[in-house]
Amino acid sequence: QDNHSLSVEPGVIRGLHFQTHPSPQSKLVRCTRGRILDVAVDVRRGSPSFGQHVCAELSAENGHQLYIPVGFAHGLCTLEPNCEVQYKVTGYYDPAADKGVLWSDPDIGIKWPLEGREPILSEKDRAQPILADLPDYFPFER
C-alpha cells in the first residue's frame, strides 16, 4: 500500500504509530515536498535497543528515505510549510491493529525541533499511552 500525507503548517507531529499482529507493517518513508524530521522507536520489549530511537532529516532536496521495520513506532515532525510525505507499507491499514505510543514520552526522549512552537497534534496522538504502559506487542527473540 502507498500512503501520502500533506501537513500545511511547520510543527505538525504525527506519531508515534505502528500496527500490531495480525497486520504488522514495515514502512519506507520519504519526503517529496518540504522537510521533516523522521523518527523510528524500538517498541520490541526485551530488545537491547527497546525504547531507543533514531532520527533522520528527510527532504525533497536530499532524497533520503528511512526504513521502519515491524516492531518500531514511526513519527515525524514537519520543519517547513506544505510538507508532503509518501510511504510504502508492507500491509494494508487495519484499524483494529492501529496502535501508538505518546510522542512526548520522556523515557524515549525525542528532541522534536519545534523551535519554541507548540506542536500541532491530532487528538489520537495526544492520547497515546507511554512506552512503559504498552502491552508486549512485539516480543523480542534473539
Side-chain angles (χ1 to χ4, degrees):
Q1 177 175 303
D2 286 328
N3 297 317
H4 186 174
S5 70
L6 168 67
S7 298
V8 174
E9 300 292 326
V12 170
I13 293 180
R14 296 180 184 263
L16 302 160
H17 305 143
F18 56 91
Q19 280 192 191
T20 59
H21 296 283
S23 306
Q25 292 178 331
S26 295
K27 300 176 182 179
L28 181 62
V29 183
R30 65 190 179 117
C31 181
T32 53
R33 182 166 61 160
R35 259 180 341 117
I36 64 169
L37 181 74
D38 209 44
V39 179
V41 179
D42 188 350
V43 294
R44 301 169 300 159
R45 196 167 301 282
S47 163
S49 59
F50 176 73
Q52 296 178 23
H53 68 279
V54 297
C55 300
E57 185 175 300
L58 308 182
S59 69
E61 185 176 310
N62 71 22
H64 295 171
Q65 299 180 76
L66 187 63
Y67 178 71
I68 316 289
V70 168
F72 285 72
H74 172 247
L76 64 86
C77 179
T78 59
L79 304 175
E80 297 179 356
N82 299 311
C83 289
E84 290 191 47
V85 178
Q86 296 183 24
Y87 50 105
K88 296 184 176 295
V89 294
T90 57
Y92 292 108
Y93 176 66
D94 179 354
D98 185 24
K99 307 293 180 200
V101 65
L102 188 64
W103 69 278
S104 60
D105 186 331
D107 287 340
I108 298 171
I110 299 167
K111 293 186 180 7
W112 297 103
L114 293 168
E115 300 176 3
R117 293 183 293 257
E118 285 296 313
I120 300 168
L121 298 158
S122 70
E123 288 304 314
K124 171 185 160 182
D125 289 342
R126 288 180 193 277
Q128 297 290 0
I130 61 171
L131 186 64
D133 292 342
L134 280 186
D136 191 5
Y137 292 123
F138 303 99
F140 181 75
E141 298 178 17
R142 292 185 188 254

